[in-house]
Each structure stands twice: as C-alpha cells, then as structure tokens.
Amino acid sequence: MLSRSSEPAMYNAKGRLDLNTLLKQYSPLVRRLAHQMIAKLPANVEIDDLIQVGMIGLSDALARFDASQGVQFETFATQRIRGAMLDELRGNDHLSRGTRKQQRSIEGAVHKLEQKLGRAPSEGEIAKEMGISLTEYQDMLGKVRGTQLVYLEDIGGDDGEQEFLDRHVADESSNPLAQLQDRRMREALVEGIKSLPEREQYVMSMYYEHDMNLKEIAAVLGVTESRVCQLHSQSIARLRVKLREY
C-alpha cells in the first residue's frame, strides 16, 4: 500500500487514501502514455479506448503500490498503465482474427495478379481471380473494414506478438535497429500509396493525412459511405502486399 510518510498529499483530512484526487492528479500521465502509444498504432485504434483502460491500470497501480519497495509511484504506475493498454490491444487483435481469412484471400489474389499483370488489378479482375462475382467481392470488402496495415501475427517467431508491441509501442528507449526498421516501413508505405489507383490514393490521403472520416470522404468523391469503406479496405489489402516486401 501507499506510505503516508512518503505520499502525504495522497491522503484526505481523515487520513484515508483519497482515490478520486489521485486519479485526477495522475490522469494526465494516462493521457500522455495513450497519445505516445496511439501515434504508433493503426488508425482504427481509438484514443478514448486506450485512455479508459489506462485509467483502470492507474487504479490498479494505486491499489498495489508499496512505497517500501523503493520505487517511485509514477514509475510503477507507468508500467501498470502501459500493461493495461497492451492487454487491451492484444485482446482486440485476437477478436479481429475472424475477418483475416477473407483479408488474406484478397491479398493473395492481389499479389498473384500484380505479378501476372505488372500493375494494380481492378476490382473486377480481383473478383474473377477469387472466383466470385464483383458484388460478392465488394460485400467482402465491406465486411473486412477496419483491418490493419500490420497485424501482430505478421511478425515472425513464437514471441512475435510481444516483440512487435515492445518495439512499436511499449519501449520508448532509443533503439537504432527499430528506428531503421520503422523508417524503412514508412518509406515503403509512401511508395505503396503512390502505386495505388488514383481514387484509392485520394481515399488514403484524405483518411490518414487530412483526418477525414468516411462520410466526409464520400461527400468529396460523390459516392456512398459504404463505397468509401470498400475502397479503403481494398487499398489496405494492396498496401499489405507491398509492405511484405519491406
């Protein structure tokens, strides 16, 4: 438990731990850690979700902290907050795996056609390669909406999930190898976007660079929101094929 002598401000006039005051006092730490983490994560991860689970991690830290161990509370809390956020990311990633079989099928068809045609295949060509109608293919694109550019399982090795999270969101220390890999990833992503069909380039630019939502993009392009979702999903599939080469 927290020590009264080392953390006097954490207690109220009755000598009891003032949890509400402490949660308010350290909530900026939660928000700071969430923003550091979100900058390295896919666009479909919500900052509010990270903050919410981070506050749960902070509450857990307040309940478990023991000043006699010689550790500063903020250091201890940071570990607990990050741990809660990482657990949430792993859980969400696991829940999304039901859509990956379809995503992998699309990517396989895209890759095969790019090798064969030497260009980005059209939706009709991808559907034909998959042995389904264009309507079925577009319905599939709508179902895999929100899929990520990088999945935890994309990183090789039995401990790939842990290594990926540690390198990209958990470890804030300077790692030259990680920095090189991240730079190569960004460069590959930029080149991949340039190779997209023009309309898909517009979608990706508006979504990621200008932070526009699907409804706003639909209004600009003069199409339905569901059509923008399809274009976005197809762009992600093309880019994931490209990023495997990096």
Side-chain angles (χ1 to χ4, degrees), residues 7-241:
E7 303 285 357
M10 294 183 175
Y11 291 80
N12 57 28
K14 296 182 179 180
R16 295 176 182 174
L17 196 64
D18 193 340
L19 293 179
N20 288 333
T21 297
L22 289 169
L23 288 172
K24 183 176 180 180
Q25 179 180 341
Y26 286 98
S27 62
L29 173 63
V30 175
R31 289 193 294 271
R32 184 169 72 249
L33 293 172
H35 282 284
Q36 288 175 353
M37 196 171 285
I38 201 75
K40 303 177 183 179
L41 292 170
N44 60 303
V45 179
E46 296 289 341
I47 185 69
D48 289 344
D49 292 340
L50 285 183
I51 292 174
Q52 183 176 16
V53 298
M55 292 300 293
I56 295 174
L58 174 59
S59 298
D60 181 62
L62 289 168
R64 295 174 180 272
F65 181 68
D66 184 354
S68 67
Q69 298 298 314
V71 178
Q72 293 292 324
F73 176 72
E74 185 166 331
T75 301
F76 180 79
T78 295
Q79 294 174 342
R80 289 283 171 177
I81 294 165
R82 275 195 181 139
M85 291 177 181
L86 292 174
D87 285 344
E88 175 72 4
L89 291 171
R90 292 186 181 102
N92 285 343
D93 188 75
H94 175 74
L95 292 174
S96 72
R97 288 176 185 173
T99 64
R100 295 189 194 171
K101 185 176 181 179
Q102 291 179 319
Q103 180 76 10
R104 302 294 190 195
S105 297
I106 295 172
E107 291 169 18
V110 169
H111 178 67
K112 184 175 180 179
L113 288 170
E114 284 186 349
Q115 296 296 310
K116 178 181 178 181
L117 302 173
R119 58 170 172 79
S122 67
E123 288 177 276
E125 289 169 333
I126 298 172
K128 184 177 180 180
E129 176 65 30
M130 296 179 69
I132 58 179
S133 69
L134 178 59
T135 299
E136 290 173 322
Y137 174 64
Q138 291 177 337
D139 287 343
M140 185 181 295
L141 288 174
K143 291 177 182 177
V144 300
R145 64 179 299 172
T147 49
Q148 301 171 194
L149 274 174
V150 178
Y151 292 124
L152 304 186
E153 66 182 26
D154 289 336
I155 311 302
D158 294 336
D159 296 324
E161 176 180 306
Q162 180 68 41
E163 291 171 0
F164 175 82
L165 285 171
D166 286 345
R167 179 161 68 89
H168 286 272
V169 299
D171 186 9
E172 295 296 325
S173 62
S174 178
N175 183 325
L177 178 59
Q179 289 176 357
L180 175 62
Q181 290 172 322
D182 289 341
R183 185 168 67 250
R184 290 175 58 201
M185 170 72 84
R186 287 194 297 271
E187 291 171 354
L189 180 57
V190 169
E191 290 303 311
I193 291 176
K194 289 179 181 178
S195 71
L196 293 174
E198 188 175 35
R199 176 165 281 199
E200 291 179 32
Q201 287 189 43
Y202 289 152
V203 170
M204 298 300 280
S205 175
M206 286 184 279
Y207 190 82
Y208 291 102
E209 293 182 34
H210 300 287
D211 200 27
M212 296 170 65
N213 59 39
L214 298 183
K215 184 176 181 180
E216 291 169 334
I217 297 172
V220 171
L221 296 180
V223 298
T224 64
E225 189 172 336
S226 62
R227 179 55 180 156
V228 173
C229 177
Q230 292 168 2
L231 292 170
H232 177 261
S233 295
Q234 185 166 262
S235 300
I236 292 294
R238 295 189 201 273
L239 289 173
R240 280 176 52 78
V241 170

